[in-house]
Amino acid sequence: MAKSQWTVDSTHSSIDFSVKHMMIAKVKGTFHSFEANVVADANDLTSADIQLTIDLNSVDTRNKDRDAHLRTADFFDIEKYPSLVFTSTAITKTDDGEYSVVGDVSLHGVTRSEKFAVSFEGAGKDPWGNEKVGFSATGSLKRSDYGLTYNAVLETGGVLIGDEVKVTIDIEAIQQG
C-alpha cells in the first residue's frame, strides 16, 4: 500500500488517560475532541507523518467540578494553551505490526520529545466501501515536565495527584480519496 492521507473517525476512536489519586487509586478521563493529520502507508508506519491535536477543553473525568479545575491555570490553563499537539519525529518498527513512535508533545507552553508504543490493529473496508485502519497506542507523560505541578501534600504522607499520566489511544482512521 502506498502512502495515503487518513483522517480520524472520531465516533470509533478515543484518547484516554489515568493518573494516581491519593497514591491509592486512579482517576480516569478522556478527551472528546481531537483530530489527526496522518499521511502513511498503513502496512508500514516507519515513513508516516503524524500530527495529533487534542482540544483540552474537551477533558472529561466524569466530575464537572474536577473538569472545570483542570481547565484553569492550576492545570491546563486553556485560556493560554487550548490544545495539546503531538508531531511524530521518528518511527521504528519493533515487531510485526508493532512500532515505537517518537514525537514532540507541546503542552502548556512546553515542547518535549515523548515515545509511544503503537500497534497496528488491522485494516478493512466498511459496509460503504471506505478503507479503514485501526491503531492503538500507549505511553506516559510526567505532568511536572510540562509545568503542571499543582498538588497537595497528604496528612498521611505522599501527594494528592500523581506525576505520571498514563495515556491510551485507540484510533480508527478513514483513507481519503
Side-chain angles (χ1 to χ4, degrees):
M1 194 180 282
K3 274 181 125 176
S4 300
Q5 177 76 36
W6 299 84
T7 58
V8 171
D9 177 351
S10 59
T11 60
H12 298 105
S13 300
S14 63
I15 299 178
D16 303 311
F17 64 90
S18 68
V19 65
K20 282 276 200 169
H21 180 252
M22 294 184 55
M23 302 182 68
I24 59 171
K26 293 179 186 172
V27 168
K28 294 183 178 185
T30 192
F31 293 99
H32 292 291
S33 180
F34 53 90
E35 57 187 39
N37 183 28
V38 180
V39 178
D41 174 345
N43 294 315
D44 181 11
L45 283 185
T46 57
S47 65
D49 297 308
I50 304 166
Q51 184 170 41
L52 172 71
T53 302
I54 301 171
D55 175 3
L56 297 175
N57 192 45
S58 72
V59 67
D60 181 359
T61 63
R62 298 184 342 240
N63 180 299
K64 289 182 194 288
D65 291 337
R66 178 174 45 227
D67 297 343
H69 190 202
L70 287 171
R71 293 180 183 104
T72 71
D74 283 345
F75 290 97
F76 295 137
D77 196 2
I78 65 167
E79 293 297 318
K80 284 186 189 173
Y81 311 107
S83 59
L84 178 153
V85 178
F86 172 84
T87 304
S88 64
T89 58
I91 303 173
T92 307
K93 189 169 188 169
T94 57
D95 204 345
D96 190 32
E98 303 292 324
Y99 299 88
S100 173
V101 178
V102 176
D104 292 334
V105 172
S106 296
L107 171 64
H108 203 250
V110 177
T111 300
R112 293 182 47 89
S113 182
E114 301 286 357
K115 181 171 33 171
F116 295 87
V118 175
S119 298
F120 175 66
E121 299 294 344
K125 282 191 179 185
D126 69 15
W128 302 274
N130 299 304
E131 284 291 335
K132 294 203 170 183
V133 292
F135 293 96
S136 60
T138 58
S140 64
L141 309 172
K142 283 190 171 184
R143 295 184 314 115
S144 59
D145 286 346
Y146 296 91
L148 303 173
T149 57
Y150 175 87
N151 223 329
V153 176
L154 299 174
E155 179 181 306
T156 57
V159 292
L160 182 65
I161 306 164
D163 193 29
E164 181 184 29
V165 179
K166 294 183 180 178
V167 179
T168 304
I169 302 171
D170 290 295
I171 297 291
E172 184 173 303
I174 307 165
Q175 185 177 28
Q176 300 304 294

